Amino acid sequence: MDDFLTASLPIIAGTAAAVVAAVVLAWLIRRVAARMFRHVPEIADVSRRARTPLSAVLGITAIRIALDGTAGRMPWFGPVSYLLVLGLIAALAWLAAMLLLLIETGLLRKYGSETRDHRRMSRLKTQIMLARRVGVAVIITLAVATVLLTIDEVRALGAGILASAGLLSIVAGLAVQSSLSNVFAGVQLAFTDAIRVDDVVVVEDKMGTIEEITMTYVVVQVWDERRLILPSTYFTSTPFENWTRRRSELLGTVELDLDWSAPVEAMRGHLHSILEGTDLWDGRTATLQVTEAVNGLIRARVLVSAADSGAIWDLQCLVREAMVIFLQDGYPETRPRQRWETVHAATPD
């Protein structure tokens, strides 16, 4: 028993010292990061999320070094060392993913403060986010491959796997054809600028906003807060409307079916008074035209413009309600009506 305690004391002392050193070093790094990013709340939040993987990497490394120097001849050192290696691989992959997230946040903040063009910022945001996701996928793949290479049996099978790589690639390609097509479609969408985060689109007869673009699917937030989850291949193989492809400004129409006695000039004047009294109108377009005059009715078509899809919808509703109230109060005779003429049958002489 005394011999066991004598042999264990250096191991325990070395491990404890290594853990304390790792904790102190992790604390210093966190303090430096907190001071550097104290005026950047977005980056500070991401750096706080990276504390756990950083502490894990430093702690596992310190324990591994301490055990190698004090317990290298112990019978249990091999299995414990192997578990520490696996933990270190996982912690390094986790830390690398957090670093990519930190880089993404820094780039988005930098270009967000420098770029005033909303379309360009949406394109950059989409590409940076997808690049980070691709990087995380590569990191996970490398981590899993590294773990597998630590197994002797897997390394022994390496030559056979390489020899049958042609057949395996064909089988794997057929098995994951759909998934790979979505991945390639996601990359294509991000870097060809077909859609961007915050674009307004019409898909499946629903209008919504692109909320997220991943490597395999796209999330569209529709007007009632629901989310449509569509595969990336949908946007490369199916026609859809992108209302903000070139610019966010939009035109909207309001159509009114009225009697022939409708005062068109008075309606034009009232339209301009409506638009001048609201911030929804961007000042580009404001017209009122009679587009049809058939079947006892005329159709008055109002064309207005606004800065984005949300504003144009509200502006259309505002103009429609204001014009209806204007006609109801001042010109009630202009309401649509049907006319019948009574024809009396001729009486015989």
Side-chain angles (χ1 to χ4, degrees), residues 169-179:
S169 63
I170 295 175
V171 175
L174 293 174
V176 298
Q177 180 180 6
S178 177
S179 299

Side-chain angles (χ1 to χ4, degrees), residues 64 71-85:
R64 178 63 178 78
R73 297 181 180 179
M74 293 292 179
W76 48 264
F77 176 74
V80 172
S81 177
Y82 179 70
L83 291 176
L84 289 175
V85 169

Side-chain angles (χ1 to χ4, degrees), residues 209-240:
T209 304
I210 300 294
E211 184 177 55
E212 184 179 4
I213 300 176
T214 71
M215 293 180 62
T216 55
Y217 63 88
V218 177
V219 181
V220 180
Q221 178 183 353
V222 295
W223 65 273
D224 57 359
E225 300 296 331
R226 290 179 297 151
R227 268 70 172 177
L228 292 178
I229 311 297
L230 300 170
S232 299
T233 51
Y234 178 91
F235 292 92
T236 59
S237 60
T238 306
F240 64 94

Side-chain angles (χ1 to χ4, degrees), residues 143-179:
V144 172
T146 304
V147 170
L148 292 177
L149 289 176
T150 61
I151 304 174
D152 294 335
E153 290 77 4
V154 173
R155 287 201 304 268
L157 290 174
I161 292 174
L162 291 176
S164 58
L167 178 61
L168 287 176
S169 63
I170 295 175
V171 175
L174 293 174
V176 298
Q177 180 180 6
S178 177
S179 299

Side-chain angles (χ1 to χ4, degrees), residues 113-131:
S113 60
E114 295 179 355
T115 305
R116 302 302 178 187
D117 188 347
H118 178 72
R119 290 194 312 108
R120 184 184 177 192
M121 186 59 207
S122 295
R123 182 173 65 251
L124 289 173
K125 182 179 179 181
T126 301
Q127 294 174 350
I128 291 172
M129 290 175 63
L130 185 62

Side-chain angles (χ1 to χ4, degrees), residues 15-28 58 62:
T15 304
V19 170
V20 171
V23 170
V24 172
L25 181 58
W27 180 81
L28 290 175
L58 294 177

